[in-house]
Amino acid sequence: MADFKAQYKELLDQKVEQQAKVFLTQFVLEFQGKFDEVLDTASSFKGYTTTDFDTLEEDTMHVFMEKRGETTTIAQLREKLKANGIETRHRFSFIDYMMFQYNKTLKDLFEKKAGNATPELLKALDEALTEFQKVMDIKNARNAKMKKLEGEAAKGGVKGMTAQNELAQMKSEDQLALNKMEVTAAAKKRKAQRAVDKGDDSKAREKALKEENARLEAEKKKKEEEERKKKEESRKRLKERAAMFNAAE
């Protein structure tokens, strides 16, 4: 148990996406056909975090749980985790919520399980995690950039106004692109899971996955080109605005 506690303590400092991967990998058989259940929760939890922390304070954790229809208090949450051998900190990690939500112990999470997942199931999980990570990478980069721009905007002046304009544009354009990617990721996860659930022929499934990957790659290049053009237009508009402010000063 002591070793499990050390492993859990180390996991607490990992990002939300890594914690989701560890949880799903351990319970892959239990969540066959419903990886989205965990990954969607992880994405939601991530939305409540900040660029400084991948954890939630008590008040924010309460709001997160309340939005999910939970009636459990923070005190009850801590008691439940403690009963399962989990010592909580002031801030809560995503894995804390997973352990509470699915009533898991440290032994459940870290002990090697009897029985093996099929190669098809593991491949479906890998596909789901890969798409999920892409979305998380974009969210992380976007949040970091927005934090930097917020700092510049607070300073005022021409640079502050430029940062404020870029922030407004990011909130409208980047979120739309991210929403589209989340829809694509969700669709691909469902497709991979259906292939496993139906027990399709492995060769046919491999061909379908290759075709899907090729389609997604083409779509990605198209979106990147569209984003490049948008950014060029945005930079042009920002330069024009900055020039106007400089002239005014």
Side-chain angles (χ1 to χ4, degrees), residues 148-157 159-161 163-164 167:
K148 180 180 178 181
L149 289 173
E150 286 169 355
E152 293 176 355
K155 296 177 181 178
K159 289 185 177 180
M161 182 62 70
Q164 192 172 359
L167 262 174

Side-chain angles (χ1 to χ4, degrees), residues 85-101:
I86 300 170
E87 298 176 4
T88 57
R89 303 182 295 184
H90 176 64
R91 301 180 68 93
F92 290 93
S93 294
F94 171 69
I95 193 65
D96 289 328
Y97 181 71
M98 286 290 96
M99 300 295 278
F100 158 77
Q101 181 70 9

Side-chain angles (χ1 to χ4, degrees), residues 1-209:
M1 179 63 73
D3 184 51
F4 291 159
K5 286 185 177 180
Q7 291 181 62
Y8 192 77
K9 184 177 181 180
E10 184 177 340
L11 182 59
L12 288 174
D13 294 325
Q14 300 295 316
K15 289 186 174 296
V16 170
E17 43 268 44
Q18 179 60 27
Q19 293 178 9
K21 181 178 181 179
V22 169
F23 187 85
L24 269 180
T25 301
Q26 177 68 357
F27 303 112
V28 61
L29 293 175
E30 180 178 338
F31 287 92
Q32 179 176 353
K34 50 182 181 179
F35 298 149
D36 286 356
E37 187 175 310
V38 173
L39 298 181
D40 289 347
T41 303
S43 182
S44 177
F45 186 95
K46 187 79 173 184
Y48 286 84
T49 63
T50 67
T51 52
D52 295 320
F53 298 99
D54 244 23
T55 53
L56 303 183
E57 291 184 342
E58 288 188 354
D59 290 345
T60 309
M61 185 65 175
H62 178 74
V63 173
F64 166 74
M65 294 175 66
E66 193 174 57
K67 291 291 185 181
R68 297 182 60 80
E70 296 279 358
T71 57
T72 304
T73 65
I74 293 298
Q76 291 171 331
L77 170 61
R78 290 189 184 280
E79 288 176 6
K80 179 69 175 292
L81 290 172
K82 185 177 181 180
N84 285 348
I86 300 170
E87 298 176 4
T88 57
R89 303 182 295 184
H90 176 64
R91 301 180 68 93
F92 290 93
S93 294
F94 171 69
I95 193 65
D96 289 328
Y97 181 71
M98 286 290 96
M99 300 295 278
F100 158 77
Q101 181 70 9
Y102 297 101
N103 195 27
K104 301 297 184 183
T105 65
L106 295 180
K107 183 178 180 180
D108 294 332
L109 183 63
F110 295 115
E111 189 173 62
K112 291 185 178 180
K113 293 180 174 292
N116 297 314
T118 64
E120 290 81 7
L121 181 56
L122 292 176
K123 187 172 183 178
L125 174 59
D126 184 62
E127 288 280 333
L129 290 172
T130 298
E131 291 304 312
F132 174 68
Q133 186 62 56
K134 288 179 182 178
V135 174
M136 290 298 100
D137 286 345
I138 289 178
K139 280 189 173 182
N140 291 335
R142 180 175 182 272
N143 289 339
K145 184 176 181 180
M146 289 184 73
K147 182 182 179 182
K148 180 180 178 181
L149 289 173
E150 286 169 355
E152 293 176 355
K155 296 177 181 178
V158 176
K159 289 185 177 180
M161 182 62 70
T162 301
Q164 192 172 359
N165 289 334
E166 191 171 352
L167 262 174
Q169 186 169 334
M170 280 187 69
K171 289 178 180 178
S172 60
E173 293 180 354
D174 285 7
Q175 189 59 49
L176 178 61
L178 184 58
N179 289 341
K180 288 181 179 179
M181 189 169 186
E182 286 178 329
V183 170
T184 300
K188 189 171 182 181
K189 285 186 287 184
R190 288 193 295 271
K191 181 175 181 179
Q193 289 173 18
R194 283 198 299 270
V196 174
D197 296 338
K198 292 179 180 178
D200 294 339
D201 177 75
S202 59
K203 289 185 178 180
R205 180 166 54 257
E206 185 176 351
K207 180 181 178 182
L209 285 173

